[in-house]
Amino acid sequence: MFQVKNLTITHKKDLTTLVDGLSFTLSPGDRAALIGEEGNGKSTVLKLLYDPALVEPYAEWTGEIVDKGLRKGYLAQELRSEELALPVWEFCQRAPAFEAADPKALDRAARQVGLSADLFWDVRPISTLSGGERVKLRLALLMLDGPDVLLLDEPSNDLDLATLGWLESFLLNCQVPVLYISHDEVLLERTANVVVHLERLRRRTVSRCTVSRMGYGQYVGERSAGFERQEQQARKERAEYDAKMETFRRIHDSVEHQLVTVSRQNPGKGRLLKKKMHTVLAMGRRFEREKENMTAMPEWEEAILTSFDQGRSAFPAGKTVLRLDLPKLTAGEQVLARNVRLWVDGPEKIGLIGPNGVGKSTLLKRVADELLPRSDLRAAYMPQDYGDLLLGDRTPVEVLAPSGHKDDITRARTLLGNMKYKAEEMEHPAAGLSGGQRAKLLFLSMVLGGANVLVLDEPTRNFSPLSAPVIRRVLADFPGVIISVSHDRLYLEQVCTRAMELTENGLIER
């Protein structure tokens, strides 16, 4: 049994309380989804539960973690730069269980995630693998160690549709407790049987933790229905209170008027009126006590709010956007696909799909290289790994308002506020923000730039399942052109007008 008691986490820099009083217990068969908006401390919780030393540089904590010597398997959201530079074989050898594993175990682990066992001995740097290949490799190494509890930070990131199916099956059949973060709503719907929800209310100043032993879909539905019932009851009680207070004020004013006009001329009646006033005031005090016990209006963390300028971002229907014909799509010396033809006209929304490692991100980078220099359109590019775009010590405000002009800074702060950044977070170095916070920042930069062509590699991968529906709605309403890679099943269904699968023989309409 894995237990957390009254866990509170505070950010050292600005003393923000990320998590307050979190308690839960996980037993074999529990699949607990850790959800919450970007920047709410989800990844910090997983790091802390695995090894408190990982959060010591930036966070303090109180509470108790009861693991009783359990072997914990932890999958970090991102690899460190020094790990990315390692050859695959050396990266694998750093996993304690790898050296002890026999060939059959290695082959079984590789097949579980859809990899060839030969990849364990590959000489290429980890950085050259696709995002999905990296996740699969790390999951395979993790399972070799036979963990008693799994802590998985975004295991679904970058997995192709087939491997997402494997991950669903793996989670559903896993016998050890699993606490995981995922932004894939379909995966959450199909696998979670416990929900741990981290929120930050009242302009992100108050933390709330909710633990529900139910499926994700049921949790979302019951939470919404519960809030609706609570709001209806609260409004009914406030309306009744307002009616009582109106009656009280009318009686009070009438008695007060009579006291002023009658008491001097008729002392006996004045004494009666004073007694009546005491009764009226007692009634008012009773109403005030009733107010204190009224049902509170429900509180929840509001969704992010942003949109593109419909006028600036519009793209003429039928206008040619791209005519890309590639005899070969290559990555270094490796030929990934042949006879790739990608023709796009305005205002199409293209979704590129295909297995991990087939070259989707490579193709999208080639598309970006073609479109970004063009002067007849305004293209913006969000790569899969966008850390390079936020290097240095620039803050979110400086990223969005590089001119430093007062009006630009004001607009940047307003947009960041709409994306639920606290004032303090606007002044943190952007490179140190969570993946979701960085995704929001790059999304805002595209909004400010007035782009009418968006080249997006996994645009929803770092948005929480609470924010992702907003992002999908914004992109579905975007009047320009979108060329994207995605494994997000809801994104492909709700946003894309065409889906094209990249194969070794080119693109195929789906």
Side-chain angles (χ1 to χ4, degrees):
M1 181 182 293
F2 185 74
Q3 192 171 13
V4 175
K5 296 181 179 179
N6 200 31
L7 180 65
T8 296
I9 306 174
T10 304
H11 201 289
K12 287 183 177 180
K13 183 173 181 178
D14 54 23
L15 301 181
T16 296
T17 300
L18 297 174
V19 177
D20 188 12
L22 174 62
S23 298
F24 63 89
T25 300
L26 295 181
S27 302
D30 284 342
R31 302 177 297 277
L34 182 59
I35 67 169
E37 285 289 355
E38 297 78 12
N40 280 11
K42 301 185 298 297
S43 293
T44 296
V45 167
L46 284 191
K47 290 177 183 178
L48 174 61
L49 297 183
Y50 176 65
D51 181 2
L54 295 177
V55 306
E56 195 279 332
Y58 67 91
E60 297 176 337
W61 66 282
T62 60
E64 186 179 1
I65 302 169
V66 183
D67 53 24
K68 296 182 180 179
L70 294 176
R71 182 185 290 120
K72 293 177 283 189
Y74 170 62
L75 183 76
Q77 186 178 122
E78 297 177 346
L79 292 173
R80 301 188 303 273
S81 57
E82 56 268 27
E83 292 175 315
L84 291 170
L86 292 173
V88 173
W89 66 268
E90 186 174 344
F91 176 82
C92 293
Q93 287 187 329
R94 293 193 176 194
F98 184 78
E99 289 285 350
D102 59 40
K104 286 186 177 179
L106 292 174
D107 184 64
R108 183 169 56 252
R111 283 189 287 105
Q112 278 183 319
V113 297
L115 291 176
S116 167
D118 293 339
L119 184 63
F120 291 129
W121 311 104
D122 204 306
V123 298
R124 289 177 294 161
I126 289 288
S127 61
T128 64
L129 301 181
S130 71
E133 286 174 317
R134 293 179 208 169
V135 172
K136 290 180 180 180
L137 178 66
R138 294 163 64 205
L139 281 172
L141 294 174
L142 191 64
M143 295 312 299
L144 282 173
D145 196 36
D148 300 309
V149 61
L150 291 174
L151 308 170
L152 309 178
D153 196 346
E154 284 295 340
S156 55
N157 260 7
D158 309 319
L159 296 185
D160 58 37
L161 298 178
T163 312
L164 278 171
W166 166 83
L167 181 60
E168 290 174 3
S169 178
F170 169 79
L171 291 171
L172 289 170
N173 292 288
C174 190
Q175 297 304 303
V176 303
V178 184
L179 177 63
Y180 65 104
I181 301 169
S182 178
H183 296 161
D184 189 309
E185 294 155 82
V186 176
L187 179 78
L188 294 174
E189 286 264 8
R190 294 178 178 176
T191 60
N193 58 11
V194 180
V195 176
V196 180
H197 189 176
L198 307 182
E199 295 179 273
R200 293 171 70 186
L201 310 172
R202 301 175 195 171
R203 302 198 176 195
R204 297 175 63 78
T205 61
V206 176
S207 297
R208 179 171 69 189
C209 305
T210 305
V211 179
S212 296
R213 302 196 69 81
M214 62 180 67
Y216 176 75
Q218 182 183 356
Y219 171 73
V220 171
E222 290 193 7
R223 168 183 159 89
S224 178
F227 281 163
E228 185 175 345
R229 288 193 300 271
Q230 182 180 343
E231 183 174 2
Q232 289 176 348
Q233 181 65 25
R235 292 189 182 282
K236 177 183 177 183
E237 291 175 6
R238 279 157 178 74
E240 291 173 349
Y241 171 78
D242 289 343
K244 290 178 180 179
M245 289 303 294
E246 177 61 31
T247 300
F248 163 74
R249 283 190 290 269
R250 187 172 63 253
I251 296 173
H252 177 276
D253 291 348
S254 174
V255 173
E256 186 176 56
H257 176 72
Q258 292 179 62
L259 272 169
V260 172
T261 59
V262 174
S263 59
R264 292 178 183 176
Q265 301 172 0
N266 189 340
K269 188 172 183 180
R271 284 192 295 271
L272 291 175
L273 287 171
K274 287 180 180 180
K275 289 182 180 181
K276 187 173 182 180
M277 177 61 80
H278 284 305
T279 302
V280 171
L281 292 175
M283 178 176 63
R285 288 192 293 271
R286 187 175 72 252
F287 291 162
E288 287 298 324
R289 289 194 297 271
E290 290 177 3
K291 181 181 180 181
E292 294 174 0
N293 296 320
M294 284 195 303
T295 302
M297 291 294 288
E299 289 187 272
W300 60 83
E301 191 168 20
E302 295 180 358
I304 57 177
L305 175 65
T306 189
S307 62
F308 287 89
D309 185 311
Q310 294 290 306
R312 292 184 69 196
S313 299
F315 200 93
K319 178 180 176 180
T320 298
V321 177
L322 182 67
R323 293 290 184 265
L324 184 64
D325 291 285
L326 299 176
K328 293 188 296 184
L329 176 65
T330 60
E333 299 297 321
Q334 183 183 9
V335 177
L336 301 173
R338 299 181 184 276
N339 303 318
V340 177
R341 167 174 284 195
L342 181 57
W343 287 20
V344 183
D345 297 320
E348 291 184 297
K349 295 181 173 72
I350 308 297
L352 300 176
I353 62 174
N356 291 128
V358 74
K360 301 184 298 297
S361 293
T362 302
L363 175 58
L364 201 70
K365 178 63 166 61
R366 183 65 182 270
V367 170
D369 291 341
E370 291 271 340
L371 297 180
L372 289 175
R374 295 251 301 264
S375 59
D376 61 324
L377 48 81
R378 296 183 302 281
Y381 175 45
M382 177 185 280
Q384 186 180 112
D385 183 3
Y386 38 71
D388 291 344
L389 300 181
L390 300 173
L391 289 177
D393 296 327
R394 290 188 302 164
T395 67
V397 171
E398 290 169 339
V399 170
L400 297 182
S403 68
H405 294 157
K406 183 177 179 180
D407 289 346
D408 292 342
I409 291 174
T410 299
R411 187 181 183 198
R413 287 184 172 278
T414 299
L415 288 171
L416 289 166
N418 289 343
M419 281 290 199
K420 308 309 172 191
Y421 277 78
K422 284 181 61 182
E424 296 89 343
E425 292 169 332
M426 297 180 193
E427 303 302 330
H428 287 179
L433 296 172
S434 70
Q437 291 288 70
R438 284 181 282 161
K440 288 179 178 180
L441 185 56
L442 290 177
F443 203 83
L444 287 177
S445 70
M446 294 191 296
V447 172
L448 281 173
N452 56 11
V453 177
L454 304 179
V455 184
L456 310 174
D457 199 345
E458 291 287 352
T460 59
R461 69 189 291 266
N462 279 313
F463 286 103
S464 79
L466 308 170
S467 293
V470 179
I471 295 300
R472 289 197 301 269
R473 186 164 60 250
V474 169
L475 292 176
D477 293 339
F478 178 65
V481 175
I482 298 176
I483 305 172
S484 58
V485 169
S486 183
H487 299 135
D488 180 341
R489 290 160 281 193
L490 293 178
Y491 172 86
L492 294 168
E493 174 187 326
Q494 297 172 10
V495 176
C496 297
T497 58
R498 290 169 62 197
M500 306 183 74
E501 181 177 0
L502 181 60
T503 70
E504 61 182 15
N505 297 313
L507 286 167
I508 300 174
E509 292 272 357
R510 292 301 185 195

